[in-house]
Amino acid sequence: MNTIDKLLGRMTVAEKLGQMTMTSASYAVTGPVIAGDSTESIRNGTLGNLLNLVGAKHVHEMQRIAVDESRLGIPLMIGFDVIHGHRTIFPVPLGEAATFEPRLWELTAREAARETAADGLAMTFAPMLDVSRDLRWGRTVEGPGEDPWLAVQIARAKVRGFQGADLAQADSVAATAKHFCAYGPVMGGRDYASVDISERTLREVHLPAFAAAVDAGVASIMPAFTELGGIPLTMHKALLRDYLRGELGFDGVIVSDYNAIRELIHHGVAGDIVEAATLALKAGVDIDMMAEAYRHGLPVALERGLVTIAEIDECVLRVLRLKERLGLFDDPYRRGSTAEAAEAIAARRRLAREAATKSLVLAKNSGGTLPLRKDLRRVCVIGPLATAWREMRGPWAAAGYEEPSITVLAGLRSALPSAEIVHAEGTAISGTDTSGIAAAAELVADSDAVVLCLGEAAEMSGEAASRSSPELPGEQRALVEAVLDRAARAKVPVVVVLFSGRPLIVSRLMERADAVLIAWFPGTEAGNAIADVLTGRASPSGRTPVTWPRALGQIPIFYSQRNSGRPENPQDHFTSKYLDLPNTPLLPFGFGLSYGRFSYANLTVSPESARASDTIEVAVEVTNQGARAAEETVFLFIRDRVASVARPLLELKGFTKISLGAGETGTARLRLPVEELRFLGLDFEPVLEPGDVEIHVGPCADPAQLLSSRVLLRV
Ligand code: BGC
């Protein structure tokens, strides 16, 4: 018998349920406030896990109580939401997705893990892997965007980054893939609402990233709050036990979402806490976060014979094994015991600037407005987001350094030391006050360029932050019109820097502004990164991981839709289209300009006829016809035009980057294993079907910009 089994043998039911419970330490940035009864529970061995406690000193103090004062001395596992950096804040996940750079995805998670571990913590509730195709949903900001293949790549990189080579390392933390699964398609984009999608969409779009996380060895998984076709994920036996544990072989910990077990009562599947706890346990949820359902409900359920002690033991073992893998039994103080070197902190800050810079998506740049000329005499920085340092962090920056993030105004001032930089807010992010608009617009007249900083407040996206009309809030549209009118008269170019946690409905702005830079929420180094791009120190290279619609009525809009039996034909009334809008988006998936100008030629695919075990080599010549060096992201899509199940118009299967100097030509190479062409057949089993598969390569998911070839599958 190993130590963990022996330990289990010595535990009382109350101690077992303690290991299956996680409660909050009433988090406060300046220090934790541990509720008195939690401390007492830790001391008497009936509370095994915490969330929302930060700071090595406090964590170690709680560990000391658990290890030295409780009967069995089992260390605590303490988790925290490290969604896009812990102290140093990286761009929000949607912005990070826009970098299309797996190296960065992994590195930012690695650095976040170091900071988290330095705070004494051993677990994070990240990465968030929910594909989102409805921009009303506030949690779009936390995830990988609209594409399942992209989500898979992010899942792998993030799990590796957080967990490092070995979970027991002092700088590794257990990652939690969340929210399992299909949380994104909540009805009406309203957070926590019902989800009702086809089995095909579930399997093709929402499960792959979780399967990839399991494959990468993720330590923990969190079921979504939501219910899928009437079955809340917190009690979804078919998905948790049969699929996750059975099909995928996941043997890590399943931790419920905040209070989610108790919410089974609201869902209408449990009459009381006893039934709720029973349902979650039967589905295989190991840890009850914040509902107190296991500690209060399971003793009664045991008494009534609704659950068995064997079912409880199974969960306890999984929790103890994770604590063991984290090295907590060997040394509960290993995390947070050594101070970080100043150089490591400085390097992290540089990484934050790099990630932020690469997350920026240049959506429009007419007449070469950007980069700004070096000899600008006077730049006018207008808008409510120009100095809003807190907003730069985006949502879920709970433990971010108190020190302000760099604002656009500060970034531009340091990047353009000889220019006069004037500033006016014009109007607030939200609200109805228009009194500052006229004066702000007047500033424009005597300037060489206007940088207009607009968008959402951080809190307008994230959890419980769905918006029915995700346009520019407050009076910002009035500010835009006033500034653009004045600038047009004075012939001053206007660059809009747009902050948001989701695509916004900004067709008119996109039409009228000279340049538009989508900034998402870039984090600690926001202003420096933006100034780097605006002044040309860096060429923008971000690509949108979500389609931007022209109007809200187009949603859900995503590039991988199916053709339908009546694809859009403007000449034919009875085809799939709107009377009042084209079907095409404002910005397609993958769109983003740079300071280069790229053209594509000579797409080659080899072999042209392939077998299941082959890897197809795809190559394309890319030329930078622009006057400046820049980096291009090259996407590889496929289309299976005739298959037993209708396939999407395009499916992402690869991307790569190529940096080219002015006038330079290079070859971008991508590899496509034939295995990647498998899809779920009529019976949901993966199949490879013989016949042609189209290969499309280019700068984004706009079919008009793609070069095409085909490969013949002989399987
Ligand atoms: C969120 C989770 C988060 C948890 C703990 C919940 O409200 O849905 O994403 O990990 O709180 O903070």
Side-chain angles (χ1 to χ4, degrees), residues 237-487:
K237 244 176 148 174
L239 280 168
L240 299 182
R241 267 205 201 274
D242 304 345
Y243 175 73
L244 261 189
R245 299 241 189 254
E247 252 182 78
L248 300 185
F250 175 65
D251 61 359
V253 160
I254 297 182
V255 52
S256 85
D257 205 344
Y258 203 99
N259 200 37
I261 301 183
R262 185 176 295 268
E263 288 166 19
L264 292 175
I265 300 171
H266 296 297
H267 277 295
V269 294
D272 59 20
I273 203 77
V274 179
E275 283 179 22
T278 303
L279 287 169
L281 181 74
K282 297 269 179 202
V285 174
D286 302 304
I287 297 182
D288 166 2
M289 182 195 281
M290 290 306 287
E292 288 292 1
Y294 279 178
R295 286 204 296 197
H296 295 153
L298 287 183
V300 185
L302 262 176
E303 228 174 77
R304 291 191 197 153
L306 297 174
V307 301
T308 64
I309 197 71
E311 287 168 321
I312 289 176
D313 286 354
E314 226 189 275
C315 299
V316 177
L317 277 178
R318 279 193 290 259
V319 175
L320 295 179
R321 277 197 209 110
L322 179 53
K323 291 186 176 184
E324 189 179 42
R325 283 178 67 202
L326 285 163
L328 290 167
F329 284 102
D330 293 339
D331 176 9
Y333 309 106
R334 70 177 48 176
R335 293 178 180 78
S337 285
T338 39
E340 287 205 287
E343 176 43 32
I345 296 170
R348 188 170 301 134
R349 192 77 189 227
R350 287 196 294 276
L351 179 68
R353 184 162 178 166
E354 182 191 352
T357 306
K358 289 181 169 170
S359 72
L360 304 173
V361 177
L362 183 59
K364 180 177 182 185
N365 191 16
S366 60
T369 303
L370 290 175
L372 297 174
R373 289 193 337 263
K374 288 275 177 303
D375 58 352
L376 289 179
R377 186 186 44 85
R378 188 169 194 261
V379 180
C380 184
V381 181
I382 298 180
L385 271 304
T387 53
W389 73 265
R390 270 189 195 282
E391 310 307 329
M392 297 298 103
R393 296 167 154 197
W396 276 125
Y401 282 125
E402 261 307 287
E403 166 199 349
S405 297
I406 311 290
T407 64
V408 179
L409 188 64
L412 278 174
R413 285 206 163 124
S414 77
L416 296 169
S418 50
E420 181 197 356
I421 304 205
V422 291
H423 164 248
E425 188 182 46
T427 186
I429 295 176
S430 42
T432 52
D433 185 2
T434 53
S435 60
I437 291 182
E442 264 327 297
L443 277 185
V444 170
D446 189 31
S447 303
D448 298 321
V450 176
V451 176
L452 192 48
C453 301
L454 306 169
E456 296 184 309
E459 66 184 19
M460 291 179 182
S461 61
E463 188 177 348
S466 294
R467 296 183 65 203
S468 66
S469 298
E471 298 172 343
L472 285 175
E475 292 296 340
Q476 292 186 62
R477 276 173 291 168
L479 176 67
V480 171
E481 295 301 320
V483 168
L484 286 171
D485 288 348
R486 190 69 192 87

Side-chain angles (χ1 to χ4, degrees), residues 51 81 125 139 178-179 222 225 257-258 289 396 463:
L51 78 154
D81 288 282
F125 310 119
R139 302 198 84 166
K178 72 183 188 186
H179 309 82
M222 180 186 288
F225 280 128
D257 205 344
Y258 203 99
M289 182 195 281
W396 276 125
E463 188 177 348

